[in-house]
Amino acid sequence: MKIELKIPTMADKEGLKAVCNAVDRKYLSDRLPYPYTDESAEWWINMVAENDGKNGVWRVIYVDGKLVGNISVEQRQDVYYKDGEIGYLLLTDYWSKGIMTEAAREICKIAFEKLNIIRITGVYYAPNVASGRVLEKVGFEYEGTRKNGVAKGDKIYDLCMTGLLKEKFNGNH
């Protein structure tokens, strides 16, 4: 299985739309548009072209030549500017195969190289144990839980917070 992270281009538009419309949204941020349209994809691809390496790093995830997800580390603002926040999504058929762990390790390596940050924050809804495991395998350490920290639809979830410090990161963890 060949896993590749690529900077998105307009050639990825259809694949990106397919993934973002098919992905399980139960534990995703509501900022991901639905339905995910041509305009959504074009806006995101253009935003990445303008900002990649400046205030974030964004990649599409390919497995054996097929676009199956995306991943990013976005630099935070204000007094949090030395911190980046990781986010990712992956088609359900590709879960539990080690793909996201490899992608997360790689995006953290890229983020620490390209961005002026000293840590990366990873958050996940408490029931999303698999996402927590991905972060743990990459070296993120549990930092606490924000009780009732997320309102998603009609559900309230605790938000688990993790952090990865640059000086502790081992890209081969």
Side-chain angles (χ1 to χ4, degrees):
M1 184 168 47
K2 184 178 175 202
I3 301 167
E4 298 172 281
L5 298 189
K6 297 179 180 179
I7 295 174
T9 68
M10 285 302 168
D12 298 308
K13 184 168 84 169
E14 292 306 318
L16 187 62
K17 279 174 37 188
V19 166
C20 291
N21 282 317
V23 74
D24 181 339
R25 293 168 171 266
K26 189 176 359 179
Y27 301 126
L28 291 183
S29 160
D30 286 339
R31 76 180 190 166
L32 182 69
Y34 187 81
Y36 200 86
T37 62
D38 281 338
E39 291 74 24
S40 305
E42 289 165 9
W43 176 88
W44 189 73
I45 291 164
N46 287 328
M47 181 281 298
V48 172
E50 201 175 302
N51 294 290
D52 196 75
K54 296 179 189 150
N55 58 4
V57 289
W58 296 265
R59 299 293 182 270
V60 283
I61 303 168
Y62 275 83
V63 173
D64 297 333
K66 179 177 169 31
L67 199 163
V68 298
N70 65 41
I71 189 164
S72 64
V73 173
E74 295 184 49
Q75 194 164 354
R76 297 182 65 204
Q77 304 294 311
D78 193 35
V79 295
Y80 310 106
Y81 74 97
K82 288 290 198 178
D83 187 7
E85 187 168 336
I86 190 170
Y88 42 81
L89 57 84
L90 187 67
L91 290 174
T92 315
D93 289 351
Y94 293 86
W95 289 1
S96 303
K97 297 181 184 346
I99 294 164
M100 195 50 78
T101 300
E102 188 174 321
R105 190 175 290 120
E106 183 64 22
I107 201 80
C108 289
K109 185 170 178 266
I110 294 166
F112 282 136
E113 285 169 4
K114 294 187 178 286
L115 305 175
N116 181 20
I117 57 174
I118 58 173
R119 65 169 277 132
I120 298 172
T121 296
V123 298
Y124 61 95
Y125 305 179
N128 194 359
V129 179
S131 191
R133 277 199 308 270
V134 164
L135 296 169
E136 187 181 311
K137 287 180 196 167
V138 173
F140 283 75
E141 294 178 8
Y142 174 76
E143 295 179 335
T145 298
R146 190 175 292 160
K147 297 289 184 189
N148 294 338
V150 177
K152 174 78 177 177
D154 61 354
K155 293 188 168 48
I156 303 291
Y157 296 106
D158 289 350
L159 188 66
C160 300
M161 292 170 288
T162 66
L164 178 65
L165 301 183
K166 186 174 185 174
E167 74 259 15
K168 285 188 166 186
F169 178 60
N170 171 359
N172 308 315
H173 189 70

